[in-house]
């Protein structure tokens, strides 16, 4: 069974940092692009970052550029999101996703999704 499991969320003060992890299992995701999306209550899902299977192509959403960094583990089945200089507006559930067709900013293209991890940033 294919699974994406996020971890690392929590409560942090504004200006702080968190590192999210997403572990993929059930198939080899080493050739899949991986992405992070977030959704705050009452808002639409928002693109955060994506990374190609090789790590050579990376895109970020405008609101996180310069603050967040996406990376992949050596085994390629794990993806990380280092979140620095967090703001209250970053508060949301963060989801990991995987797609065999390559990087993309649109959530609908992603084939597999995790259950999400809550990030709360207090002011």
């Amino acid at each position: 069974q294919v699974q994406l499991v996020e971890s690392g969320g929590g409560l942090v003060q504004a200006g702080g940092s968190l590192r999210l992890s997403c572990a993929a299992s059930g198939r080899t995701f080493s050739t899949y692009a991986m992405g992070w999306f977030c959704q705050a209550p009452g808002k639409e899902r928002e693109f955060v970052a994506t990374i190609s299977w090789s790590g050579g192509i990376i895109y970020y959403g405008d609101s996180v550029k310069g603050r967040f960094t996406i990376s992949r583990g050596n085994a390629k089945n794990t993806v990380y999101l280092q979140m620095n200089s967090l703001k209250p507006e970053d508060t949301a559930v963060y989801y990991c996703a995987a797609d065999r067709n390559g990087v993309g900013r649109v959530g609908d293209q992603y084939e597999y999704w995790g259950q999400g991890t809550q990030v709360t940033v207090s002011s």
Side-chain angles (χ1 to χ4, degrees):
Q1 184 176 355
V2 175
Q3 272 194 316
L4 298 178
V5 180
E6 302 95 336
S7 62
L11 173 63
V12 64
Q13 287 189 330
S17 298
L18 283 174
R19 189 192 195 206
L20 304 185
S21 299
C22 172
S25 62
R27 65 166 56 243
T28 300
F29 282 90
S30 59
T31 59
Y32 280 58
M34 305 289 287
W36 287 96
F37 293 79
C38 68
Q39 188 165 21
K43 294 187 177 181
E44 293 187 353
R45 183 174 57 198
E46 180 181 346
F47 166 71
V48 176
T50 184
I51 186 168
S52 63
W53 68 270
S54 67
I57 301 174
I58 291 174
Y59 298 128
Y60 293 100
D62 289 341
S63 64
V64 306
K65 282 180 182 176
R67 299 188 298 123
F68 292 8
T69 303
I70 190 171
S71 61
R72 298 187 78 132
N74 289 336
K76 305 297 185 185
N77 272 19
T78 304
V79 64
Y80 304 99
L81 186 69
Q82 179 67 43
M83 310 165 69
N84 297 330
S85 302
L86 282 161
K87 304 175 182 179
E89 50 263 45
D90 295 320
T91 295
V93 178
Y94 283 73
Y95 298 92
C96 171
D99 179 57
R100 72 181 74 192
N101 295 315
V103 295
R105 295 179 173 90
V106 179
D108 288 347
Q109 81 170 70
Y110 285 79
E111 187 174 356
Y112 299 104
W113 289 84
Q115 293 300 306
T117 184
Q118 176 70 47
V119 171
T120 303
V121 184
S122 63
S123 57

